[in-house]
Amino acid sequence: MEIHQEASSEAQAPSALSNAEIADRLAGLAQLLSTQKENPYKVKAYHRAAARIRSLSDSLDELVREDADLTQFPGIGEAIASAIREIVLTGKLRKLETLRGQAAPEIASLADYPRLDPKRVLRVYKKLGISSIESLRENLESGEIESVLGLRMAQHIRQGLSEAHAMLLYRADDLRDAVEEFLLTKCAVKAVQVVGACRRRVEVIEEIAFVIGTDDFPAVVRRMQRYGGRTTLLGSSSDSAVFALAAGITLRLRLCSARAWGLCLVTETGSEAHLKKLEAVTGRLTSLPGEPAFTTETAFYRNFGLAYIEPELREGHDEVERAGMGSLPKLVTEADIRGELHAHSTSSDGVHSIEQMAAAARERGYEYIGISDHSQSLKIARGVSVDDLWQQIRYIDKLNAKSDGIRILKSSEVDILADGSLDYPDDLLHELDYTVCSIHSRFGLNREHQTERLMRAMDNRYFNILGHATGRLLLKRPGYEIDMDRVVEHARQNGCFFEINSSPDRLDLSADNARRAAAAGVLIAINTDSHSMGELELVRRGLDQARRAGLAKSAVLNCRCWQKLVSLFRR
Ligand SMILES: [Zn+2]
Ligand SMILES: [Zn+2]
């Protein structure tokens, strides 16, 4: 496919600001405010507004000039709306200019790096006796920051200095929706379907891709350059165009005829590895004039004797072979989930009470919800003391006696201490219905020690589910190192289980690790780790991972009723 640069005839006059430029100024203000003694919520509000604005399809510049109400957008209140008006109408933000003028140069320059936490950077500056972004970069590359201030600090600095070119799937989903609506309402496309990594539900997204149907592709490409005020076209051909979105990732549009729609979805959705395996079966993945071109994906698969392959499975594992043998798994769905096994309450760091969490679970049609607050050693998350947990157990018994349509399970997210012991005495653990056991400290232990630590913890008879198995935070920090095969085997022998933690920045187990655990016959809970009622919805994020791992409902712990679980949880 030929890609060539194309100058836009409809590009706006340079005086109009793009949403990205407006967002940069708001983020800069947030940065400088945070070095002052400013209310952290205000700082966060500016950062959040900046992130929202980067995904917005409407041009804020135009809206301001039309005198539209900017508070119609979530995350934009009166103060931020008036800041945006000032930026558009004067090209400046007085508050930002003032703060920049007052700040020392080493602080002023932080306004240009919104992903760096100024407080942390100033700590590095002080410790290493440096005062510029250049020195910061040099000390990062030489390993000085890591050796003096630790791995986490080095990771933060590395992330903050790099250009954003990826985002978490749940944020990409919002952007996908906004772009799709823009294509349908502002670009007059006739048909649109998201494809690529987004459709496969990959947890970190670098490109959003759509297959579109239209009679005038060049017009669509021109209009898309007006997205968010101004969006850069990186290149285009007669049937394809790539844009740099303000949010830091790319957007790819692929023109496709109705006649070949199904084939196009297949070739644009599968990973490279998947397409290679598919091509080995079908001979080729293009259609020549006069040949069948497949209007639907199902027609395509059927033609080659294959069962329909769910998009989440199109990664090039064994799905093509299994589609040929008719032995693909029936993937777990939201309707199969019967309860929640990892939720926090106000007893530790949650925002809603046990009763509220239970009500929210009942509202979702669940049969049970496990309250697993943090254990005593996790002071930072207001871990529950031994005495308080005893009380909570009796309290939940009382609530259940009143039984109003949902069973509350007595649980705890028990810290796995550095030596592999659990954070409560056995007599207390014995009173719980089950436990989720997690690592929240000493991430720096080496692979051997970390693996031993987990295996020792699993030797405790009250260990049931391993919480967020690797501790990874997507786009923030890799997990700690463990020998996953040994841990999976040990879990299998000891009757322990894993969770897929549905928090969008964890999604831990990863799909690959979940696939491994399931292959060994170890059941997996899809847990939200909710800290509020609303977060129970995150189960959809965990389901994405479970489906990518090829899990049927029989492989999922919380697709079982409580009676079944009782017999599975050794106590
Ligand atoms: Zn945890
Ligand atoms: Zn938790």
Side-chain angles (χ1 to χ4, degrees), residues 222-268:
R222 277 197 304 276
R223 293 204 188 103
M224 187 47 73
Q225 289 175 82
R226 309 281 293 264
Y227 187 90
R230 189 159 59 245
T231 287
T232 308
L233 175 65
L234 296 174
S236 69
S237 68
S238 59
D239 65 356
S240 165
V242 180
F243 304 84
L245 291 172
I249 63 176
T250 55
L251 166 69
R252 196 159 53 85
L253 300 181
R254 174 69 205 276
L255 173 67
C256 186
S257 67
R259 182 182 155 267
W261 192 256
L263 176 61
C264 211
L265 291 185
V266 167
T267 58
E268 296 295 322

Tab-separated table of all heavy atoms in Angstrom, residues 222-268:
chain	number	residue	atom	x	y	z
A	222	ARG	N	-10.239	14.408	4.719
A	222	ARG	CA	-10.154	15.862	4.952
A	222	ARG	C	-10.884	16.244	6.230
A	222	ARG	O	-10.393	17.011	7.047
A	222	ARG	CB	-10.763	16.626	3.771
A	222	ARG	CG	-9.815	16.816	2.597
A	222	ARG	CD	-10.306	17.904	1.651
A	222	ARG	NE	-11.658	17.673	1.157
A	222	ARG	CZ	-11.946	16.890	0.103
A	222	ARG	NH1	-10.976	16.252	-0.541
A	222	ARG	NH2	-13.192	16.742	-0.289
A	223	ARG	N	-12.093	15.700	6.404
A	223	ARG	CA	-12.878	16.076	7.589
A	223	ARG	C	-12.240	15.572	8.878
A	223	ARG	O	-12.291	16.237	9.896
A	223	ARG	CB	-14.307	15.555	7.471
A	223	ARG	CG	-15.055	16.261	6.358
A	223	ARG	CD	-16.557	16.247	6.549
A	223	ARG	NE	-17.166	16.782	5.341
A	223	ARG	CZ	-17.738	16.026	4.418
A	223	ARG	NH1	-17.816	14.722	4.577
A	223	ARG	NH2	-18.238	16.577	3.331
A	224	MET	N	-11.641	14.414	8.803
A	224	MET	CA	-11.025	13.863	10.011
A	224	MET	C	-9.894	14.768	10.504
A	224	MET	O	-9.571	14.777	11.687
A	224	MET	CB	-10.516	12.438	9.735
A	224	MET	CG	-10.011	11.679	10.953
A	224	MET	SD	-11.060	11.735	12.422
A	224	MET	CE	-12.392	10.666	11.947
A	225	GLN	N	-9.330	15.537	9.600
A	225	GLN	CA	-8.272	16.467	10.016
A	225	GLN	C	-8.812	17.627	10.853
A	225	GLN	O	-8.050	18.417	11.400
A	225	GLN	CB	-7.526	17.000	8.787
A	225	GLN	CG	-6.672	15.924	8.144
A	225	GLN	CD	-6.031	16.405	6.852
A	225	GLN	OE1	-5.010	17.072	6.865
A	225	GLN	NE2	-6.651	16.068	5.741
A	226	ARG	N	-10.150	17.710	10.949
A	226	ARG	CA	-10.753	18.741	11.797
A	226	ARG	C	-11.113	18.189	13.163
A	226	ARG	O	-11.666	18.910	13.993
A	226	ARG	CB	-12.042	19.270	11.138
A	226	ARG	CG	-11.876	19.686	9.697
A	226	ARG	CD	-11.224	21.058	9.603
A	226	ARG	NE	-12.108	22.085	10.120
A	226	ARG	CZ	-12.914	22.823	9.347
A	226	ARG	NH1	-12.944	22.626	8.048
A	226	ARG	NH2	-13.671	23.744	9.887
A	227	TYR	N	-10.848	16.903	13.385
A	227	TYR	CA	-11.193	16.276	14.672
A	227	TYR	C	-10.471	17.005	15.800
A	227	TYR	O	-9.269	17.237	15.732
A	227	TYR	CB	-10.798	14.792	14.658
A	227	TYR	CG	-11.264	14.028	15.872
A	227	TYR	CD1	-12.507	13.402	15.890
A	227	TYR	CD2	-10.482	13.952	17.015
A	227	TYR	CE1	-12.948	12.712	17.004
A	227	TYR	CE2	-10.914	13.269	18.139
A	227	TYR	CZ	-12.141	12.653	18.125
A	227	TYR	OH	-12.574	11.976	19.233
A	228	GLY	N	-11.233	17.383	16.826
A	228	GLY	CA	-10.618	18.087	17.962
A	228	GLY	C	-9.992	19.403	17.557
A	228	GLY	O	-9.006	19.828	18.146
A	229	GLY	N	-10.544	20.064	16.512
A	229	GLY	CA	-9.977	21.319	16.052
A	229	GLY	C	-8.968	21.084	14.950
A	229	GLY	O	-9.077	21.622	13.853
A	230	ARG	N	-7.973	20.249	15.241
A	230	ARG	CA	-6.965	19.951	14.218
A	230	ARG	C	-6.308	18.627	14.570
A	230	ARG	O	-5.903	18.406	15.707
A	230	ARG	CB	-5.905	21.057	14.190
A	230	ARG	CG	-4.947	20.960	13.023
A	230	ARG	CD	-4.262	22.294	12.741
A	230	ARG	NE	-3.505	22.779	13.890
A	230	ARG	CZ	-3.791	23.889	14.563
A	230	ARG	NH1	-4.806	24.637	14.213
A	230	ARG	NH2	-3.051	24.260	15.590
A	231	THR	N	-6.242	17.742	13.603
A	231	THR	CA	-5.588	16.450	13.817
A	231	THR	C	-4.650	16.192	12.647
A	231	THR	O	-5.018	16.378	11.488
A	231	THR	CB	-6.646	15.331	13.949
A	231	THR	OG1	-7.294	15.460	15.209
A	231	THR	CG2	-6.024	13.957	13.863
A	232	THR	N	-3.431	15.789	12.956
A	232	THR	CA	-2.398	15.645	11.927
A	232	THR	C	-2.586	14.373	11.112
A	232	THR	O	-2.705	13.284	11.675
A	232	THR	CB	-1.003	15.611	12.580
A	232	THR	OG1	-0.884	16.729	13.430
A	232	THR	CG2	0.091	15.633	11.527
A	233	LEU	N	-2.601	14.542	9.791
A	233	LEU	CA	-2.620	13.381	8.895
A	233	LEU	C	-1.179	12.939	8.694
A	233	LEU	O	-0.331	13.706	8.238
A	233	LEU	CB	-3.232	13.781	7.543
A	233	LEU	CG	-3.211	12.716	6.454
A	233	LEU	CD1	-4.089	11.529	6.824
A	233	LEU	CD2	-3.648	13.316	5.114
A	234	LEU	N	-0.875	11.698	9.054
A	234	LEU	CA	0.503	11.207	8.902
A	234	LEU	C	0.748	10.683	7.504
A	234	LEU	O	1.869	10.717	7.005
A	234	LEU	CB	0.785	10.109	9.930
A	234	LEU	CG	0.747	10.538	11.402
A	234	LEU	CD1	0.894	9.333	12.317
A	234	LEU	CD2	1.830	11.567	11.695
A	235	GLY	N	-0.318	10.185	6.860
A	235	GLY	CA	-0.145	9.684	5.506
A	235	GLY	C	-1.435	9.086	5.017
A	235	GLY	O	-2.293	8.710	5.815
A	236	SER	N	-1.605	9.022	3.678
A	236	SER	CA	-2.841	8.423	3.172
A	236	SER	C	-2.617	7.846	1.785
A	236	SER	O	-1.667	8.191	1.095
A	236	SER	CB	-3.967	9.448	3.133
A	236	SER	OG	-3.718	10.413	2.138
A	237	SER	N	-3.497	6.936	1.402
A	237	SER	CA	-3.507	6.386	0.055
A	237	SER	C	-4.961	6.376	-0.387
A	237	SER	O	-5.817	6.935	0.297
A	237	SER	CB	-2.935	4.967	0.064
A	237	SER	OG	-3.820	4.111	0.749
A	238	SER	N	-5.278	5.726	-1.510
A	238	SER	CA	-6.646	5.759	-2.010
A	238	SER	C	-7.614	5.017	-1.084
A	238	SER	O	-8.805	5.288	-1.085
A	238	SER	CB	-6.704	5.146	-3.408
A	238	SER	OG	-6.229	3.807	-3.333
A	239	ASP	N	-7.111	4.094	-0.255
A	239	ASP	CA	-8.038	3.352	0.604
A	239	ASP	C	-7.598	3.264	2.056
A	239	ASP	O	-8.081	2.440	2.821
A	239	ASP	CB	-8.270	1.945	0.048
A	239	ASP	CG	-6.997	1.102	0.090
A	239	ASP	OD1	-5.940	1.636	0.477
A	239	ASP	OD2	-7.071	-0.086	-0.254
A	240	SER	N	-6.663	4.116	2.462
A	240	SER	CA	-6.180	4.024	3.836
A	240	SER	C	-5.605	5.365	4.283
A	240	SER	O	-5.052	6.113	3.471
A	240	SER	CB	-5.107	2.932	3.893
A	240	SER	OG	-4.384	3.034	5.076
A	241	ALA	N	-5.777	5.695	5.560
A	241	ALA	CA	-5.215	6.944	6.086
A	241	ALA	C	-4.847	6.752	7.543
A	241	ALA	O	-5.521	6.033	8.274
A	241	ALA	CB	-6.224	8.084	5.944
A	242	VAL	N	-3.736	7.383	7.943
A	242	VAL	CA	-3.276	7.283	9.328
A	242	VAL	C	-3.126	8.691	9.902
A	242	VAL	O	-2.557	9.578	9.260
A	242	VAL	CB	-1.924	6.535	9.428
A	242	VAL	CG1	-1.463	6.448	10.875
A	242	VAL	CG2	-2.033	5.148	8.823
A	243	PHE	N	-3.680	8.888	11.112
A	243	PHE	CA	-3.647	10.192	11.766
A	243	PHE	C	-2.952	10.062	13.118
A	243	PHE	O	-2.994	9.012	13.750
A	243	PHE	CB	-5.069	10.704	12.011
A	243	PHE	CG	-5.913	10.795	10.775
A	243	PHE	CD1	-6.587	9.668	10.299
A	243	PHE	CD2	-6.036	11.994	10.084
A	243	PHE	CE1	-7.366	9.749	9.158
A	243	PHE	CE2	-6.820	12.078	8.944
A	243	PHE	CZ	-7.482	10.948	8.478
A	244	ALA	N	-2.358	11.180	13.580
A	244	ALA	CA	-1.815	11.238	14.945
A	244	ALA	C	-2.862	11.915	15.819
A	244	ALA	O	-3.119	13.104	15.675
A	244	ALA	CB	-0.514	12.025	14.964
A	245	LEU	N	-3.487	11.168	16.714
A	245	LEU	CA	-4.497	11.748	17.596
A	245	LEU	C	-3.825	12.513	18.739
A	245	LEU	O	-2.734	12.148	19.174
A	245	LEU	CB	-5.396	10.646	18.171
A	245	LEU	CG	-6.332	9.945	17.180
A	245	LEU	CD1	-7.010	8.748	17.832
A	245	LEU	CD2	-7.365	10.919	16.622
A	246	ALA	N	-4.504	13.543	19.217
A	246	ALA	CA	-3.935	14.370	20.283
A	246	ALA	C	-3.669	13.560	21.548
A	246	ALA	O	-2.800	13.900	22.341
A	246	ALA	CB	-4.888	15.519	20.606
A	247	ALA	N	-4.415	12.474	21.732
A	247	ALA	CA	-4.253	11.665	22.939
A	247	ALA	C	-2.953	10.865	22.913
A	247	ALA	O	-2.629	10.176	23.874
A	247	ALA	CB	-5.448	10.735	23.109
A	248	GLY	N	-2.207	10.928	21.803
A	248	GLY	CA	-0.891	10.293	21.762
A	248	GLY	C	-0.834	9.007	20.951
A	248	GLY	O	0.235	8.469	20.711
A	249	ILE	N	-1.977	8.482	20.544
A	249	ILE	CA	-1.961	7.248	19.768
A	249	ILE	C	-2.400	7.546	18.331
A	249	ILE	O	-2.819	8.656	18.030
A	249	ILE	CB	-2.868	6.159	20.391
A	249	ILE	CG1	-4.326	6.591	20.389
A	249	ILE	CG2	-2.420	5.861	21.806
A	249	ILE	CD1	-5.263	5.506	20.895
A	250	THR	N	-2.282	6.562	17.446
A	250	THR	CA	-2.644	6.812	16.060
A	250	THR	C	-4.042	6.274	15.749
A	250	THR	O	-4.564	5.407	16.441
A	250	THR	CB	-1.636	6.171	15.076
A	250	THR	OG1	-1.520	4.778	15.362
A	250	THR	CG2	-0.277	6.825	15.182
A	251	LEU	N	-4.617	6.831	14.698
A	251	LEU	CA	-5.925	6.403	14.204
A	251	LEU	C	-5.729	5.952	12.761
A	251	LEU	O	-5.096	6.655	11.970
A	251	LEU	CB	-6.913	7.569	14.242
A	251	LEU	CG	-8.214	7.382	13.448
A	251	LEU	CD1	-9.098	6.331	14.104
A	251	LEU	CD2	-8.961	8.706	13.318
A	252	ARG	N	-6.229	4.766	12.437
A	252	ARG	CA	-6.102	4.277	11.063
A	252	ARG	C	-7.489	4.028	10.502
A	252	ARG	O	-8.327	3.392	11.141
A	252	ARG	CB	-5.292	2.987	11.036
A	252	ARG	CG	-4.776	2.618	9.652
A	252	ARG	CD	-3.599	1.662	9.757
A	252	ARG	NE	-3.942	0.525	10.579
A	252	ARG	CZ	-4.567	-0.560	10.113
A	252	ARG	NH1	-4.874	-0.653	8.835
A	252	ARG	NH2	-4.874	-1.559	10.922
A	253	LEU	N	-7.736	4.566	9.311
A	253	LEU	CA	-8.999	4.314	8.618
A	253	LEU	C	-8.711	3.477	7.394
A	253	LEU	O	-7.746	3.718	6.674
A	253	LEU	CB	-9.658	5.641	8.184
A	253	LEU	CG	-10.017	6.630	9.294
A	253	LEU	CD1	-10.678	7.870	8.692
A	253	LEU	CD2	-10.919	5.991	10.339
A	254	ARG	N	-9.560	2.483	7.164
A	254	ARG	CA	-9.373	1.628	6.005
A	254	ARG	C	-10.696	1.587	5.251
A	254	ARG	O	-11.725	1.238	5.820
A	254	ARG	CB	-8.972	0.228	6.490
A	254	ARG	CG	-8.867	-0.824	5.436
A	254	ARG	CD	-7.671	-0.562	4.519
A	254	ARG	NE	-7.925	-1.199	3.228
A	254	ARG	CZ	-7.673	-2.472	2.981
A	254	ARG	NH1	-7.129	-3.230	3.906
A	254	ARG	NH2	-7.953	-2.969	1.801
A	255	LEU	N	-10.656	1.990	3.986
A	255	LEU	CA	-11.861	1.977	3.160
A	255	LEU	C	-12.148	0.554	2.698
A	255	LEU	O	-11.243	-0.176	2.308
A	255	LEU	CB	-11.643	2.869	1.939
A	255	LEU	CG	-12.744	2.844	0.878
A	255	LEU	CD1	-14.029	3.458	1.416
A	255	LEU	CD2	-12.285	3.575	-0.380
A	256	CYS	N	-13.423	0.179	2.754
A	256	CYS	CA	-13.761	-1.166	2.308
A	256	CYS	C	-15.129	-1.186	1.648
A	256	CYS	O	-16.048	-0.501	2.097
A	256	CYS	CB	-13.731	-2.105	3.509
A	256	CYS	SG	-13.955	-3.796	3.005
A	257	SER	N	-15.292	-1.979	0.597
A	257	SER	CA	-16.579	-2.077	-0.092
A	257	SER	C	-17.487	-3.029	0.667
A	257	SER	O	-17.017	-3.908	1.388
A	257	SER	CB	-16.363	-2.602	-1.510
A	257	SER	OG	-15.918	-3.945	-1.438
A	258	ALA	N	-18.788	-2.865	0.473
A	258	ALA	CA	-19.754	-3.757	1.125
A	258	ALA	C	-19.528	-5.192	0.659
A	258	ALA	O	-19.689	-6.145	1.421
A	258	ALA	CB	-21.182	-3.309	0.812
A	259	ARG	N	-19.108	-5.348	-0.573
A	259	ARG	CA	-18.905	-6.662	-1.163
A	259	ARG	C	-17.822	-7.465	-0.431
A	259	ARG	O	-17.933	-8.676	-0.275
A	259	ARG	CB	-18.527	-6.434	-2.639
A	259	ARG	CG	-18.318	-7.670	-3.450
A	259	ARG	CD	-17.894	-7.314	-4.874
A	259	ARG	NE	-17.160	-8.442	-5.421
A	259	ARG	CZ	-15.847	-8.573	-5.362
A	259	ARG	NH1	-15.105	-7.626	-4.815
A	259	ARG	NH2	-15.266	-9.646	-5.855
A	260	ALA	N	-16.786	-6.764	0.040
A	260	ALA	CA	-15.667	-7.458	0.680
A	260	ALA	C	-15.584	-7.136	2.176
A	260	ALA	O	-14.544	-7.313	2.807
A	260	ALA	CB	-14.362	-7.062	-0.007
A	261	TRP	N	-16.692	-6.664	2.741
A	261	TRP	CA	-16.705	-6.204	4.140
A	261	TRP	C	-16.209	-7.290	5.116
A	261	TRP	O	-15.381	-7.029	5.986
A	261	TRP	CB	-18.126	-5.758	4.500
A	261	TRP	CG	-18.252	-5.004	5.792
A	261	TRP	CD1	-18.732	-5.487	6.955
A	261	TRP	CD2	-17.902	-3.628	6.020
A	261	TRP	NE1	-18.706	-4.500	7.921
A	261	TRP	CE2	-18.203	-3.351	7.373
A	261	TRP	CE3	-17.357	-2.616	5.235
A	261	TRP	CZ2	-17.991	-2.101	7.946
A	261	TRP	CZ3	-17.146	-1.367	5.804
A	261	TRP	CH2	-17.453	-1.125	7.142
A	262	GLY	N	-16.723	-8.488	4.969
A	262	GLY	CA	-16.365	-9.575	5.885
A	262	GLY	C	-14.879	-9.914	5.796
A	262	GLY	O	-14.203	-10.060	6.819
A	263	LEU	N	-14.373	-10.026	4.601
A	263	LEU	CA	-12.952	-10.322	4.399
A	263	LEU	C	-12.088	-9.225	5.019
A	263	LEU	O	-11.076	-9.491	5.672
A	263	LEU	CB	-12.659	-10.444	2.897
A	263	LEU	CG	-11.189	-10.658	2.517
A	263	LEU	CD1	-10.654	-11.944	3.119
A	263	LEU	CD2	-11.016	-10.667	0.996
A	264	CYS	N	-12.539	-7.983	4.814
A	264	CYS	CA	-11.797	-6.835	5.328
A	264	CYS	C	-11.747	-6.857	6.861
A	264	CYS	O	-10.706	-6.595	7.465
A	264	CYS	CB	-12.474	-5.567	4.836
A	264	CYS	SG	-11.349	-4.215	4.589
A	265	LEU	N	-12.863	-7.188	7.491
A	265	LEU	CA	-12.882	-7.279	8.953
A	265	LEU	C	-11.896	-8.347	9.431
A	265	LEU	O	-11.179	-8.167	10.418
A	265	LEU	CB	-14.290	-7.608	9.469
A	265	LEU	CG	-15.357	-6.528	9.319
A	265	LEU	CD1	-16.653	-6.989	10.008
A	265	LEU	CD2	-14.900	-5.199	9.900
A	266	VAL	N	-11.867	-9.450	8.721
A	266	VAL	CA	-10.953	-10.534	9.095
A	266	VAL	C	-9.501	-10.067	9.013
A	266	VAL	O	-8.724	-10.216	9.958
A	266	VAL	CB	-11.165	-11.770	8.190
A	266	VAL	CG1	-10.030	-12.770	8.364
A	266	VAL	CG2	-12.510	-12.425	8.507
A	267	THR	N	-9.134	-9.462	7.889
A	267	THR	CA	-7.723	-9.103	7.706
A	267	THR	C	-7.307	-7.917	8.575
A	267	THR	O	-6.144	-7.798	8.940
A	267	THR	CB	-7.405	-8.768	6.225
A	267	THR	OG1	-8.261	-7.692	5.809
A	267	THR	CG2	-7.633	-9.965	5.335
A	268	GLU	N	-8.262	-7.065	8.931
A	268	GLU	CA	-7.906	-5.884	9.739
A	268	GLU	C	-7.995	-6.142	11.241
A	268	GLU	O	-7.546	-5.334	12.033
A	268	GLU	CB	-8.814	-4.698	9.378
A	268	GLU	CG	-8.668	-4.201	7.950
A	268	GLU	CD	-7.292	-3.605	7.664
A	268	GLU	OE1	-6.740	-2.936	8.553
A	268	GLU	OE2	-6.766	-3.834	6.557
